[in-house]
Amino acid sequence: MLIAHSLPVELSIAKKAGARIVPMAALRLLSALCYGIVLNLICRLTGLWQEPVQMFFSGSPGEQELIANGQSLKFSTLALYFLLFSVY
């Protein structure tokens, strides 16, 4: 997430600086994918972060609606990023 979290903003700045967007976006996305694969292999081979999760918060039925609203907000934000990225 930290590798590609500001990708739309950085690509629009790079475009204004004269860089080609498609190769830069491909490079950033492929490097993020490779980083994720390497991190996954390291965690599996060393046993790091492999224990079962402990849930400290379990929402009540009324709070489940808030979680669903948060999920729809996440998808709306993602759609907005794609819209802004296609404009620039």
Side-chain angles (χ1 to χ4, degrees):
M1 183 68 184
L2 290 176
I3 291 178
H5 73 281
S6 61
L7 190 59
V9 174
E10 290 179 10
L11 288 178
S12 64
I13 292 171
K15 181 179 179 183
K16 290 179 182 179
R20 294 184 300 173
I21 289 185
V22 174
M24 183 174 274
L27 178 68
R28 292 285 307 272
L29 291 174
L30 286 174
S31 64
L33 181 67
C34 291
Y35 176 75
I37 291 170
V38 169
L39 185 63
N40 182 29
L41 288 174
I42 290 171
C43 288
R44 285 179 183 234
L45 291 175
T46 62
L48 185 64
W49 300 319
Q50 298 299 314
E51 61 272 354
V53 66
Q54 288 184 347
M55 296 298 289
F56 294 112
F57 175 78
S58 178
S60 65
E63 292 167 340
Q64 295 299 326
E65 183 179 337
L66 291 175
I67 293 171
N69 288 339
Q71 291 292 331
S72 66
L73 180 63
K74 178 174 66 173
F75 291 120
S76 299
T77 305
L78 185 62
L80 181 63
Y81 276 140
F82 282 122
L83 178 68
L84 289 175
F85 181 66
S86 65
V87 170
Y88 291 108

